[in-house]
Amino acid sequence: MFGRRSKRNSYWSVVRLVLFLLVFAASAGAEESPLIEIQKVNPRIQTDVRYATADNFMKEPLYSSARCFLRKEVAERLSRVQEDLERRGLGLKVFDGYRPLAVQKKMWARFPLEGFIANPAKGSNHNRGAAVDLTLVDGEGRELAMPSAYDEFSERSHRDYAGGTEEERRNRKALEEAMQKEGFKGISTEWWHFDDKDAKNYPVLDISFEDAAGH
Ligand SMILES: [Zn+2]
């Protein structure tokens, strides 16, 4: 009698353990990524993710794939900027969105340039999935002329840089105005960088692009 009950008890313990593991595995697998790929929200937004290639200031690929992720609300705001620009025959080309903290540390270790690279101790809004680097393109997808190249660490990149051609300054202003309408804020040192108005509400992340994609 005693032996049978003990056997039955251990049988139920195993069943309980298996059930627990199944529920645990299911909930872990169903865990949603806090980020979404921009092109899933609006496939008409172009991307040119330089950090996935050696064509960047670090001269080496820093990302495992050429994908651009943002917080969902931020991507939706960006999509509205794209729709607004399309009414004027223009569009967006995104160079960078979410950046894992590990990559930020790597950049800072080589170029500790306040104003151009955020100190990973504080975290960049890119690490929060709430900042985006981008430019304007025309109806054929050609980049509009801007006062400096993307990621150029010089005063030509400053938002108030008075040099360059009138057309370049006009394009820089058009990008800023289009982004501001949806609540993005530019910074003084880089014409291509914009922070979401609620950027600081999001925590810094250090997940891989594979985890960001949810697989
Ligand atoms: Zn940026």
Side-chain angles (χ1 to χ4, degrees), residues 96 99 116 124 126 131-133 150-151 187 190 192-194:
D96 195 24
R99 181 187 306 152
F116 285 109
S124 158
H126 282 291
V132 66
D133 295 339
Y150 161 60
D151 260 356
I187 57 171
E190 301 173 344
W192 58 83
H193 177 105
F194 291 88

Side-chain angles (χ1 to χ4, degrees), residues 145-176:
M146 291 290 178
S148 82
Y150 161 60
D151 260 356
E152 180 179 311
F153 300 147
S154 82
E155 60 162 358
R156 288 168 14 113
S157 301
H158 291 183
R159 191 164 292 289
D160 63 356
Y161 174 61
T165 67
E166 202 190 322
E167 186 196 352
E168 289 166 351
R169 293 193 299 273
R170 201 171 48 233
N171 291 339
R172 179 181 64 194
K173 188 84 190 145
L175 175 63
E176 185 179 12

Side-chain angles (χ1 to χ4, degrees), residues 33-42 45 47 67-79 81 92 94-99 125-134 179 184 193-196 199 202 205 207 209 212-213:
S33 166
L35 301 163
I36 192 162
E37 203 165 350
I38 289 179
Q39 289 185 308
K40 283 219 170 107
V41 177
N42 189 329
I45 296 178
T47 57
R67 305 169 85 176
C68 199
F69 298 89
L70 286 172
R71 298 280 175 173
K72 190 162 179 278
E73 299 79 4
V74 182
E76 283 166 356
R77 259 196 269 279
L78 197 66
S79 178
V81 177
L92 296 171
V94 174
F95 299 119
D96 195 24
Y98 164 66
R99 181 187 306 152
N125 286 332
H126 282 291
N127 308 141
R128 303 172 200 276
V132 66
D133 295 339
L134 75 183
M179 293 296 282
F184 287 95
H193 177 105
F194 291 88
D195 293 309
D196 185 84
Y202 299 106
L205 296 171
I207 60 174
F209 275 20

Side-chain angles (χ1 to χ4, degrees), residues 104-123:
Q104 192 71 35
K105 287 178 181 165
K106 211 169 167 183
M107 290 176 167
W108 180 256
R110 189 144 3 131
F111 296 98
L113 299 171
E114 283 289 357
F116 285 109
I117 313 261
N119 186 335
K122 290 181 238 159

